[in-house]
Amino acid sequence: MTKSRKPPTAGDITAPLHHATFRRVWLASLLSNLGMLVQGVGAAWTMTQMTSSADDVALVQTALMLPVMLISTPAGAIADMYDRRVVMLIALLIALAGAAALTMLAWLGLITPNLLLLFCFIVGSGMALMEPAWQSSVSEQVPSEILPGAVALNGISYNIARSVGPAVGGLIVATAGAVAAFAVNAVLFLPLIFTLFRWKRIHKPSRLPPEKLGRAMVSGVRYIINSPIKIVLTRAMMIGVVGGVIIALMPLVARDLLHGGAQTYGIMLAAFGIGAVIGAINTTGVRKCMTGEAAMRACALLTSGAIATVALSRAPLLTAAALVVAGAACMMAWTLCSIAVQLSAPRWVAGRSLAAYQAAGSGGIAVGSWGWGYLTDAAGVETALLTSAALALFSSLLGLWLPVPRTDARGEDGELLADPEVRLPLTGRSGPLVVEIEYCIARENARAFHNLMQELQLSRKRNGAYGWSIARDIADPELWTERYHCPTWLEYLRHRNRSTQVERAMEHQATAFHIGPNPVRIRRMLERPFGELEGQDC
């Protein structure tokens, strides 16, 4: 008699792998991540052979990460506007073209420092375009209750590759040269392209036309400014600045502090990657026993001590042990931030929120890598690492001013609302639209109602409204008027259907304060330039 296997639970980190689509994409992305890291080893080591400048060596990491900061905002908007599978395929083809061109130039012996940075930038641009679409599509591949496990597994995928990729890359570079490393990266893009091509994603187009790119970018920025996600982005940027020193200066740590070669460099990166896998695997358990802020503070302290050890150590074994700790702490902090964004952002802005998260973290790495390289040229590798350790120590205090918000459940979309009755001829571009909502509130509930409306204000703004105000009638103190604008009629229809279930509950709570025999009065008015409806029945 065979025992039946228990179904995976939400706390089981392997639960997402029981879903075929996620499993296939995850395995293919593992190979793609491996290829990117093999290329990174080849590019960094090639630069050390062409120049002795620490600044130029650190710029390799900047060239790979800077595109995320530069194009992530439009990439996130594109991920929310169009079929995410198609966006990912186009992005991968761009990265494949850059990797193939880099391989060809290196094989012909035409590579220069500037060309190396250029093609690293092109490959990085393709991956930057793909990242928001990939991350936001995870929620379409697994149920929401196991989404944190899926986010952690994506981090594990990258860091499994990191744990073996640098060592493999160092071996390839040492035995076959950088050309082979570049070629391996190009070939390993193909499984992910094939997997995405086979994915029969169910694309549910909105009943409203998609936003224009510029408007979509503005909507994303507006949402982030008016939501707790902006705190997570600030913390992610600090993690990038501090943690970026390890990857940016690792070739110099291997060469100048440990007096090793390409294989030493690969082993040190592998140690960092092994630690990152350990950190990602244990993130779920840490979230159960610690608050997000406490976990972030612990990660910062561990990172500070580990980087200081790397700076002062001259023994490869001790350095590798410190890098395991640094990798675990940095990866756990990254995963905690990523889960916070994934669980907070509603579906309509998920791509843009994740793009902003990637931009903040990668921007911190890119700017930090340049700064650490510049400081290394001026003061040496050891000084740069110790400065980073001090900055990590300081970052543990950021929670006093910018605590990580609690995120216990995903921002689930609310039910679609029917369009309001309209008797005036309108087009999608008619506007601005002014909305006034009148409440009758008992005097003893005035303070509680006002406090609730301050929270509702942020919900209105992040979903598309502007010019929000709340006013109290001086002749009738029980009469309150909420007022806000939407740019166009079409934007107002989008605004109505962007509210999450939590935000809808807040709206119902505000309505529950209303007293009197008549319901809450809502007026929607067209604010227009004189003559817009000339010739029409006004």
Side-chain angles (χ1 to χ4, degrees), residues 226-432:
N226 291 288
S227 75
I229 288 178
K230 62 180 179 291
I231 296 176
V232 181
L233 303 188
T234 303
R235 302 295 293 272
M237 180 174 288
M238 178 59 72
I239 296 169
V241 170
V242 172
V245 71
I246 298 174
I247 305 302
L249 300 185
M250 191 66 74
L252 303 178
V253 170
R255 187 186 69 185
D256 299 342
L257 298 186
L258 301 179
H259 306 292
Q263 288 184 331
T264 301
Y265 169 52
I267 291 171
M268 293 301 115
L269 278 180
F272 185 81
I274 290 171
V277 172
I278 294 171
I281 289 174
N282 288 282
T283 300
T284 302
V286 169
R287 289 182 74 239
K288 290 181 179 179
C289 61
M290 299 177 69
T291 65
E293 180 54 44
M296 291 287 288
R297 190 170 301 167
C299 289
L301 294 174
L302 287 172
T303 300
S304 176
I307 294 177
T309 302
V310 172
L312 300 174
S313 171
R314 298 299 180 268
L317 186 60
L318 178 59
T319 299
L323 288 172
V324 170
V325 175
C330 287
M331 188 60 211
M332 186 172 292
W334 277 112
T335 305
L336 289 168
C337 288
S338 181
I339 290 173
V341 175
Q342 291 259 23
L343 293 181
S344 299
R347 195 175 303 280
W348 72 268
V349 76
R352 281 163 280 189
S353 298
L354 287 163
Y357 161 70
Q358 294 293 332
S362 299
I365 292 175
V367 175
S369 295
W370 174 82
W372 298 128
Y374 186 83
L375 180 59
T376 299
D377 274 339
V381 179
E382 182 178 327
T383 299
L385 289 169
L386 289 174
T387 303
S388 175
L391 190 60
L393 185 62
F394 167 77
S395 71
S396 66
L397 303 176
L398 278 179
L400 299 176
W401 299 278
L402 298 171
V404 174
R406 295 184 64 88
T407 50
D408 298 324
R410 181 181 171 83
E412 295 289 351
D413 299 333
E415 295 181 4
L416 294 179
L417 301 177
D419 292 347
E421 181 182 355
V422 175
R423 295 182 181 178
L424 186 68
L426 296 176
T427 68
R429 299 178 62 184
S430 297

Side-chain angles (χ1 to χ4, degrees), residues 203-209:
H203 179 52
K204 298 179 180 179
S206 170
R207 62 185 179 86
L208 300 175

